[in-house]
Structures are given as structure tokens and as C-alpha cells.
Amino acid sequence: MVLPRVIRAVIMGPPGSGKGTVSGRITKTFGLKHISSGDILRANINAQTELGLLMKSCIDQGQLVPDDVMSRLILNDLRAIDGTSWLLDGFPRTVSQAEALDDVYTLNTVVNLNVPFQTIKQRLTSRWTHLPSGRVYNTDFNPPKVPGFDDETGEPLFQRDDDRPETVTRRLKSYETQTEPVLEYYRSKELSPFSHILNTGIFPSALVSIIPE
Ligand code: G5P
Ligand code: MG
């Protein structure tokens, strides 16, 4: 199969399904730039930017950031790397965001990770994150070499504020009501999936579909 010159891909799936983990493997294997909306928001919170301060309570409560804020943020970042192949993780999360993205870019591929909610709840309680890079670990699945510290920088790992059980429940609810319709939106569109992505064996335990099915 001949790859297009520039790859524009999206990875979807419920909170905690493994988007960040799988994105890390895809971007390394295929040389794409990884753009994670959650990592961008957390970097803003960490740096105490105006946007970060405004959005922190929204994120901590497991609610989505307003569409116009999110679309502007991501589309600005994409404009800055025009001509580069990328994989979007966490965006779009509503049909309105998907439409805003479609107005500017034509996607090649959408990958969907399908993981049961009960498995997700277990994974998130044992997740540890290196906030500056977004690298994630799990005390059961992929523990850091030294407990509590990032493998590459040796800096401390943290548990995300929005991984509290009651917040995870709210995030899963918002996924069902606001994000699942985005899968239907993409299923109804003509995408050209790259089946070889599925054959590389880089996906761990998630059921993966490249939509449309
Ligand atoms: P985020 O940051 O986009 P979520 O909720 O979509 O957050 P999250 O929590 O980052 O997604 P993930 O990336 O899907 O999860 O999963 P992960 O971190 O890779 O893996 C989860 C755990 O499972 C890890 O410990 C990992 O090691 C383990 N794991 C992974 N794969 C496997 C496996 O195969 N097996 C096992 N056993 N374990 C595994 O968004 C955060 C907030 O920001 C706002 C919202 O408020 C959102 O709640 N936001 C937006 N708001 C509006 N619009 C947008 N577009 C927004 N984007 C972000
Ligand atoms: Mg993530």
C-alpha cells in the first residue's frame, strides 16, 4: 500500500482506554507528531496560564472544555506544524469539534480503541503520569523502572486529579453522550483506512477498529 505524503490521523476511545499509550507506539513506529489535547491542557494548568487556570475546575470535575476554546487551541497548534504528519489524541471529542477539524483538514484514518468501562476503572486507579511529557505508567501493566519516577528524566510521577473514581464515572458518562456520536459521524464519512497499522502487533490488549467498519 502506498502511504500518502502527509498522514492525518485521529485516535479515539473512552477515557483510560489507552489512547496515550498506543499513540506513543504509533507515533514512534510511523514517525508522526503526537498531539494530545489533554496533555496540552495539563501543560497549561501546570504553567498556570490564563487558559489553564480557567479550565482547571472543568477538567477536575470531569467535564469537557468548551468546543470553541478547544478547537481554536488545537487548530492553532496544527497550523504551526503544517505539512507534518500527525496523530490527534483526545480531539475531536464532540461532533462540533469534528466538524471544525473537517473544515480545515481531510483525515486519512480514525483508530478506535474499544475497552470495557470496568477495565478502564481498574486501569485508571493504578495509572501514574509524568506530567511534563504526558508519559503514562501503570503499576500493573507497565510499571516505571523506579517506582514513582519517570524512566527517561528521573522526575517524579503523579496521579491525575481527574482519576478519582467519581470523576472517572463522570468522564465515562460524558464520553457516552458527547463523544460516541463522533464515531457515528466518522462511520458515515468516506475515510481510507490503512490496514497495515492493524498488522504491526503494536496494540496491547485493546480491541482496535479502524472505522468505518
Ligand atoms: P485526556 O487527557 O484526553 P482522556 O480521559 O480522554 O483524557 P486518558 O485518561 O488520558 O483519556 P488514555 O490516554 O486513553 O486515557 O489512556 P492511557 O493513559 O494511555 O492508559 C490508561 C492506563 O491504562 C495507563 O495506566 C496505561 O499504562 C494503562 N494501559 C494502557 N494500555 C493498556 C493495556 O493494553 N492493558 C493494560 N492492562 N493497561 C493498559 O482529557 C482529560 C480532560 O481534558 C479535557 C476534558 O476535561 C477531559 O476530561 N479535554 C477536552 N475537553 C473538551 N474537548 C476536548 N477535545 C478535550 N480534550 C481534553
Ligand atoms: Mg491520555
Side-chain angles (χ1 to χ4, degrees), residues 18-34:
K19 297 185 296 297
T21 305
V22 174
S23 293
R25 297 173 192 204
I26 293 179
T27 51
K28 217 168 162 185
T29 306
F30 296 99
L32 314 182
K33 179 136 178 70
H34 178 203

Side-chain angles (χ1 to χ4, degrees), residues 16 18-21 34 36 38-39 42 89-90 127 134 136 160 171:
K19 297 185 296 297
T21 305
H34 178 203
S36 156
D39 287 351
R42 281 183 290 279
D89 156 8
R127 168 166 68 180
V136 288
R160 275 169 45 177
R171 286 161 61 199

Side-chain angles (χ1 to χ4, degrees), residues 13-22 36-39 41-42 58-60 62-67 70 74 89-94 97 113 119 123-124 126-129 136-142 160 162-163 171 203-206:
S17 55
K19 297 185 296 297
T21 305
V22 174
S36 156
S37 52
D39 287 351
L41 291 169
R42 281 183 290 279
C58 204
I59 294 167
D60 285 351
Q63 291 165 353
L64 293 189
V65 167
D67 283 337
M70 208 62 238
I74 296 295
D89 156 8
F91 181 93
R93 234 183 180 88
T94 63
Q97 292 178 14
L113 303 181
T119 308
R123 284 185 189 178
L124 290 185
S126 44
R127 168 166 68 180
W128 289 81
T129 305
V136 288
Y137 300 87
N138 189 290
T139 44
D140 306 319
F141 171 65
N142 59 339
R160 275 169 45 177
D162 60 349
D163 279 350
R171 286 161 61 199
F203 299 106
S205 65

Side-chain angles (χ1 to χ4, degrees), residues 57-90:
S57 68
C58 204
I59 294 167
D60 285 351
Q61 287 167 34
Q63 291 165 353
L64 293 189
V65 167
D67 283 337
D68 56 331
V69 175
M70 208 62 238
S71 296
R72 214 172 326 122
L73 193 64
I74 296 295
L75 290 174
N76 269 343
D77 277 17
L78 293 182
R79 217 165 286 128
I81 56 161
D82 209 23
T84 307
S85 292
W86 40 250
L87 174 66
L88 293 182
D89 156 8

